[in-house]
Amino acid sequence: MKLKEHRLKLQAAPLLKQSMTTGQTMRDVLLALLPATLAGLWYFGLGALLVLIASIAGAMLTEWLFSPAESRMQRLSDNTALLTGLLLGLTLPPALPLWMAFIGGAASIGLGKLIWGGMGQNLFNPALVGRAFLLATFPIAMTTWSPQSGPTEFFQIYASNLAAPFMQSVYDGISAATPLGLMKFEQQSTGLWALVSGNTSGCIGETSGLLLLLGGLYLLLRRDLDWRIPAGILGTVALFSTTLYIVDSTHYPGPLFSVFSGGLLLGAIFMATDPVTSPLTPRGTWIFAVGIGVLVVLIRAYGGFPEGVMYAILLMNAATPLIDRYTQPRVFGKGIKNP
Amino acid sequence: MAKRKEDLQQEFIKGLWRDNPVFVQVLGMCPMLAVTNSAVNALAMGAATFFVLVGSSFLVSSLRRWIPKQVRISTYIIIIATFVTVTDFTLEALVPKIHKELGAFIPLIVVNCMILGRQEAFASRNSVRMAVMDALGMAAGFLFALLSLGAVREILGEGKLFGVSLFGPNFEPWVIMILPPGGFLTLGLILLFFSWIKQRKQRLEQRLAQLESEAR
Amino acid sequence: MSSSQNINVGKRDLGSAKLVTTLSFAGLLSGLIIVLAYESTLPTITAHKAMVMKEAVFKVLPGVNRMQRLVYRNGMLAASEQVRKDDEVIFSGYDASGRLVGYAIAGAGPGFQDTIRLLYGYIPETREITGMEILESRETPGLGDKIYKDPAFVANFDSLSIDPEIRAVKKGKRSAANEIDAITGATISSKAVVRIINEANRLWLLRIEQAVKPEGKG
């Protein structure tokens, strides 16, 4: 099979050649995720690292297994499976049994990407598909959070990490509530500095707001990111939660808490911006982002779960083809009524 | 006579495999997805459908000369509905627990398109023996499909098969498998598996033919 | 298509009389068979339903070995064998010596996925609930279905005070006689059970009080 094909270009001019490739972009994103990942390991130790490795292994192995034999290495080398596995791993609780993380990685690639026809064809963000699958399959393990600790206990692995495949996990007995859980079920707010620095319990990668923002800034400078999406999501969440906060400040958190807690920053910067599953047109992008922001606040305030970023993004992913369809730019010279 | 017997066998086997109502024709999806959360439920549903399909095919085929074309569909529905209602009462009296689990899906056998489809496509234009053989094959195929789905979902979803624990008390159940999405996922994966086998078989046959022609 | 046309060839000008006859004959026959099946299975079905109810009543009211169906009509509770469709029914339970122990009250309300129907035992003397049994529910397997699969949760309803109102609290935080431990991860289902019982209490407690008083005087 020839890998290079002559293609007929159908776009309008200008046709600029860019040196940017998928693999390059993926490397940028991986680099941008690095600080937040390291922070997650700092707080949750070796167990968290094992969870990340298991989920990446699940993703890459599935990609390798279900690719045609001749293009296996090429498909793996563009780093998309690696990135999906890492993103999924960052949204998992650090004490999750490793076999579940592995299955999650496999589900991400299998159900989130390959079934749709491979890269660029999927409707939903693969990492979030994997997470939704895990949450529906193992609801208890996926909502058991362990408290964060410092680097002194780095080499302690959670007992539940090492549960035998298909068997229940034994938890260490200490479980913690996430800031959002505390807010929803006990109306307790968490200090802003703890949220910004990531010194809270939660998923591996969603704890440190500052480092996630740093990664986002890097992607912005490298032009790998459509700034409208994070800006739209965060702006909407801040605005909407301020409104709720003014109405009832005991039950609803303020805007800063809303933005920095849970997986919002991770989702807004790294998942909603997936170019495959977000709209193409600028106007559509704004609709997409505002939709996610509104859904996040709605689910957090009125839903059964304390966190709603995952479902918000998945729902707006589903709406993306429709948004694209209705926000097509006007073809020059058409559709305007002459005065 | 020998040929007749072979025909009858063919009618039976095609429903089991080549024209399997679920895996090939993708009919009767409503009960397929709704009640296969355990092997026992799947078995009960399959047995109920079996009875209804074989009974209606027999009646429709025997009465086919007296049913005017204009009202055939309504007559078929009356026949099917009668069998379904009888099944409904019988199950409620004999196995009330399973009847409760299956709930509304027993009456809904009436609208299982596979059953009406067999009457219109086969029973109404074939001899009673052929029609019954066809119904037996199709019903067995449907039962087989329900059972395989139910077994997969129960094994993963509860770690049991027919209520017998397989992996001991520490098994971590895959909750999604008992919920509706599990039905869709399992059915999709089974369909995938079947078409993979089919593709492999075709490729193998092609390769064989090629080799044969080369040998000549 | 061709063969079915062959069958009816030559009968093309069927009068509608023939069609009507065929259909009504089929309908008649079908009706006959259904009535037959209904009549022959009805005794078994009703007997089973009664048995299930009886078992549930005996379970939620410990120490009871005889029960009586009571129907609320015109502001009165009266024993009745015949139950009409819209009747509000509760059960009274008696011990071996024939003394009234308590009542089994049925309640229903929205759960996480579908309506939950349950039965609970109530003793007017001590104003306590003695047990709770879920009759019907479609809660999430593995989480919400713990409202009947988790013995620890069901045990919450053993001698549970109803005053001023039952409350679900976070697991392990149970401190008062009117509190139950909610199921971790299934707060909505737990709270639904509590709400159903509280609502049924609001409906029935006054009625029961009125029914018990005259008996006490006489």
Side-chain angles (χ1 to χ4, degrees), chain C residues 131-142:
Chain C
M132 186 271 305
E133 170 99 346
I134 303 285
L135 300 175
E136 219 178 286
S137 81
R138 287 191 176 272
E139 299 304 283
T140 323

Side-chain angles (χ1 to χ4, degrees), chain B residues 100-115:
Chain B
K100 202 174 148 192
E101 290 264 315
L102 298 183
F105 292 100
I106 296 271
L108 281 177
I109 297 176
V110 178
V111 289
N112 187 329
C113 44
M114 176 194 74
I115 295 180

Side-chain angles (χ1 to χ4, degrees), chain A residues 99-100 103 111 115 132-133 136-141 166-169, chain B residues 156 167-177 179 181 185 189 192:
Chain A
W99 67 270
M100 289 183 191
I103 286 180
L111 297 177
I115 272 193
F133 179 84
T137 310
F138 310 113
I140 296 175
F166 299 102
M167 292 298 143
Q168 270 169 7
S169 43
Chain B
L156 281 179
F167 308 103
N170 277 331
F171 180 76
E172 172 82 42
W174 296 35
V175 176
I176 198 174
M177 284 299 168
L179 301 176
L185 282 179
L189 290 180
L192 203 72

Side-chain angles (χ1 to χ4, degrees), chain A residues 53-269:
Chain A
I53 291 175
S55 106
I56 292 172
M60 293 187 74
L61 205 70
T62 311
E63 174 94 39
W64 184 81
L65 205 64
F66 291 102
S67 297
E70 59 271 15
S71 63
R72 271 177 180 163
M73 286 333 281
Q74 188 212 342
R75 282 209 193 179
L76 275 185
S77 65
D78 71 6
N79 286 339
T80 48
L82 177 66
L83 180 63
T84 302
L86 179 65
L87 275 176
L88 170 71
L90 289 176
T91 63
L92 298 177
L96 192 75
L98 298 180
W99 67 270
M100 289 183 191
F102 183 86
I103 286 180
S108 290
I109 293 293
L111 297 177
K113 188 171 133 188
L114 293 178
I115 272 193
W116 303 84
M119 191 168 124
Q121 309 287 325
N122 45 311
L123 183 58
F124 298 102
N125 183 303
L128 287 178
V129 170
R131 184 170 203 274
F133 179 84
L134 281 181
L135 186 62
T137 310
F138 310 113
I140 296 175
M142 282 294 286
T143 48
T144 306
W145 311 99
S146 23
Q148 72 285 5
S149 57
T152 44
E153 292 164 45
F154 182 82
F155 289 102
Q156 273 188 353
I157 300 172
Y158 303 100
S160 51
N161 277 146
L162 302 174
F166 299 102
M167 292 298 143
Q168 270 169 7
S169 43
V170 189
Y171 282 97
D172 300 340
I174 324 154
S175 73
T178 60
L180 279 169
L182 283 174
M183 188 69 217
K184 177 149 197 132
F185 299 122
E186 306 184 9
Q187 279 86 46
Q188 260 178 43
S189 194
T190 310
L192 187 63
W193 174 242
L195 290 175
V196 172
S197 66
N199 194 11
T200 59
S201 79
C203 301
I204 298 170
E206 70 178 28
T207 53
S208 174
L210 195 66
L211 295 174
L212 286 168
L213 278 178
L214 201 72
L217 202 66
Y218 171 74
L219 286 184
L220 203 63
L221 292 176
R222 299 277 300 167
R223 296 180 180 239
D224 292 322
L225 188 80
D226 186 348
W227 62 274
R228 294 177 189 90
I229 296 178
I233 295 176
L234 300 179
T236 313
V237 168
L239 208 71
F240 195 5
S241 57
T242 312
T243 323
L244 284 181
Y245 185 68
I246 291 170
V247 174
D248 180 354
S249 62
T250 51
H251 284 88
Y252 304 116
L256 278 174
F257 179 91
S258 300
V259 168
F260 279 99
S261 60
L264 186 66
L265 286 170
L266 184 65
I269 297 171

Side-chain angles (χ1 to χ4, degrees), chain C residues 43-177:
Chain C
T44 335
I45 293 173
T46 37
H48 177 263
K49 274 188 182 155
M51 204 185 69
V52 168
M53 206 40 152
K54 204 168 153 183
E55 268 174 14
V57 170
F58 287 2
K59 212 167 170 183
V60 297
L61 281 172
V64 162
N65 62 2
R66 194 173 65 80
M67 60 176 254
Q68 172 96 53
R69 192 204 314 265
L70 300 178
V71 176
Y72 186 78
R73 270 182 212 143
N74 317 322
M76 293 268 287
L77 271 177
S80 166
E81 279 311 305
Q82 284 179 330
V83 178
R84 273 173 287 173
K85 206 174 175 191
D86 296 330
D87 278 343
E88 294 174 293
V89 178
I90 61 169
F91 302 90
S92 54
Y94 305 88
D95 65 8
S97 60
R99 198 179 59 89
L100 175 72
V101 176
Y103 295 90
I105 305 170
F112 188 61
Q113 299 208 350
D114 204 349
T115 304
I116 299 177
R117 296 202 322 113
L118 54 77
L119 189 79
Y120 63 96
Y122 168 67
I123 298 188
E125 270 175 60
T126 53
R127 292 182 69 79
E128 270 182 354
I129 286 174
T130 50
M132 186 271 305
E133 170 99 346
I134 303 285
L135 300 175
E136 219 178 286
S137 81
R138 287 191 176 272
E139 299 304 283
T140 323
L143 284 176
D145 69 350
K146 283 192 184 160
I147 55 174
Y148 59 94
K149 281 191 177 158
D150 183 358
F153 180 75
V154 178
N156 271 319
F157 295 90
D158 189 6
S159 54
L160 172 70
S161 169
I162 57 151
D163 291 310
E165 198 181 55
I166 306 168
R167 269 164 28 89
V169 294
K170 208 175 164 185
K171 193 163 189 163
K173 298 244 171 103
R174 184 180 181 182
S175 57

Side-chain angles (χ1 to χ4, degrees), chain C residues 185-206:
Chain C
T187 324
I188 294 181
S189 299
S190 320
K191 284 191 171 160
V193 171
V194 169
R195 197 179 52 238
I196 292 168
I197 297 183
N198 281 333
E199 264 166 27
N201 276 341
R202 273 197 283 282
L203 182 70
W204 283 103
L205 289 196
L206 260 178

